[in-house]
Amino acid sequence: MSNGFIWSSGDEPHVARRREMLRTHPEIKELYGPCSRTKYVCTLLVGLQLSLAFLLRDAPWWLIVLVAYTVGGVINQALLLAIHELSHNLAFRKPWHNRVFGVFINLPVGVPVAETFRYYHLRHHAHQGDERLDTDLPTEFEARLLRHRAIKLLWLSCQGFAYALRPLFVDPKKPGASEIANLLVQVAFNVAVFYFWGGKALAYLPISSLIVMGLHPIAGHYISEHYVFREGQETYSYYGPLNVLAFNVGYHNEHHDFPYIPGSRLPKLRAMAPEFYDGLMSHKSWTATLWNFVMRPSLGGYSRVKRRVERRRG
């Protein structure tokens, strides 16, 4: 088990690879731009999740939790990954359309995340590995804890809280008008669900969000993307069947290389330039990724790449 993060003195790998890929495959630019299907898929998912909330309004708690784990959580994870797509303006051509739609598909998630996620995720892309600006990195406190199997298992089961609270400690920001609007819309929606359908229908929605970010197969993508499973490689892809439920977020090297290509076209990107990806390690199973993270002593909170960034004094 490492006693410290993996430090890199070089730039993150995606800018250089993007430049070389465009030099050898200029046709990649044809893949740029929004996917017209995204808004329809997302609207269908919102309708399906709200229908389940209505049907479960008088259900026993064991059934609510079971449906949340098996179905509702998968739907909400898909909506969270759709919010990820929208943060890159990949559903509509106008950025503000993506932001408004993001607030809409945020509703079944139960807590307002769309606008805050957009801010921090774009910083993750621009400052990958920067310990102050990339809040995807575990904190030193988390990394010290994640040395034993039981603690890693507990942390994985509570990953949703870690991702939500970490920015408040690492890179806090004053809420802007868009985040306040996101909050007000979400609160109004939650009050309406509680008033018309009751507390169980309302509880089902955030339970679905949290339960799927823990010990759930689709939650493997949180670990698979940037935790170092092979020395010298910083980002990893997964090409398995769960991508169908996750807007192809498993194509993570491809996504970081070209964040303005929607998930629906990332398989085409890989097919256009296989020589850039065939030599990289990829994950075959998100479930196995979670298992390996817990069971291998060599993997833990320190299994991430950080880079030193010189900052101007002002």
Side-chain angles (χ1 to χ4, degrees):
M1 175 69 69
S2 173
N3 291 317
F5 290 98
I6 304 164
W7 286 94
S8 172
S9 58
D11 296 331
E12 58 92 0
H14 303 288
V15 173
R17 187 158 62 225
R18 181 188 312 136
R19 187 181 303 117
E20 181 61 19
M21 290 177 71
L22 287 174
R23 186 185 68 81
T24 56
H25 295 282
E27 67 274 15
I28 286 174
K29 291 183 178 180
E30 298 174 6
L31 301 177
Y32 291 4
C35 174
S36 60
R37 296 196 304 270
T38 299
K39 55 184 176 290
Y40 301 114
V41 173
C42 290
T43 301
L44 179 63
L45 291 174
V46 169
L48 179 58
Q49 185 69 318
L50 295 185
S51 297
L52 287 172
F54 174 77
L55 293 173
L56 292 168
R57 67 194 184 281
D58 296 317
W61 284 108
W62 68 265
L63 182 59
I64 290 172
V65 173
L66 178 62
V67 175
Y69 188 85
T70 56
V71 182
V74 176
I75 294 173
N76 273 10
Q77 184 64 204
L79 290 172
L80 288 167
L81 292 170
I83 289 172
H84 167 260
E85 288 275 290
L86 292 164
S87 71
H88 294 287
N89 300 322
L90 293 174
F92 301 91
R93 296 201 175 275
K94 293 183 178 181
W96 75 270
H97 288 177
N98 289 277
R99 298 179 76 163
V100 170
F101 193 68
V103 172
F104 165 66
I105 67 171
N106 190 153
L107 296 177
V109 174
V111 291
V113 298
E115 282 297 313
T116 303
F117 174 83
R118 179 187 181 90
Y119 174 82
Y120 287 109
H121 182 68
L122 294 179
R123 285 166 80 85
H124 164 61
H125 274 266
H127 306 282
Q128 183 174 314
D130 186 319
E131 63 180 341
R132 186 172 71 83
L133 300 180
D134 184 0
T135 58
D136 190 69
L137 292 166
T139 62
E140 179 70 27
F141 175 73
E142 289 175 274
R144 286 182 179 274
L145 286 178
L146 296 176
R147 298 184 175 197
H148 307 286
R149 290 175 180 174
I151 300 299
K152 287 193 281 187
L153 190 66
L154 177 63
W155 181 83
L156 284 176
S157 67
C158 302
Q159 254 191 123
F161 294 105
Y163 272 86
L165 297 175
R166 189 184 300 143
L168 301 179
F169 297 96
V170 176
D171 185 23
K173 70 179 290 288
K174 184 179 179 179
S178 60
E179 287 166 306
I180 293 172
N182 190 178
L183 172 62
L184 293 176
V185 170
Q186 188 69 53
V187 169
F189 173 79
N190 288 357
V191 169
V193 170
F194 180 80
Y195 180 80
F196 290 106
W197 297 347
K200 287 185 174 181
L202 177 60
Y204 163 74
L205 299 174
I207 288 173
S208 295
S209 301
L210 287 172
I211 203 167
V212 80
M213 295 182 75
L215 299 176
H216 192 285
I218 206 167
H221 83 86
Y222 293 107
I223 300 300
S224 74
E225 292 166 359
H226 296 292
Y227 282 83
V228 176
F229 282 73
R230 185 171 80 173
E231 185 178 355
Q233 186 171 329
E234 195 167 336
T235 305
Y236 300 79
S237 291
Y238 156 80
Y239 302 119
L242 290 181
N243 274 308
V244 175
L245 306 174
F247 287 88
N248 281 335
V249 75
Y251 286 75
H252 216 67
N253 263 304
E254 294 82 351
H255 169 64
H256 270 265
D257 289 344
F258 293 92
Y260 18 80
I261 294 178
S264 60
R265 298 184 201 131
L266 290 177
K268 293 181 180 179
L269 169 64
R270 189 178 189 277
M272 280 183 177
E275 68 273 21
F276 288 92
Y277 298 113
D278 287 348
L280 297 176
M281 176 188 168
S282 61
H283 294 284
K284 293 181 172 60
S285 166
W286 277 337
T287 304
T289 299
L290 293 173
W291 174 267
N292 291 332
F293 182 79
V294 172
M295 300 303 293
R296 289 185 188 175
S298 59
L299 291 171
Y302 285 122
S303 303
R304 290 292 297 265
V305 173
K306 284 188 175 183
R307 46 185 42 86
R308 293 181 172 86
V309 178
E310 293 186 6
R311 305 189 193 281
R312 295 180 181 179
R313 294 183 179 179

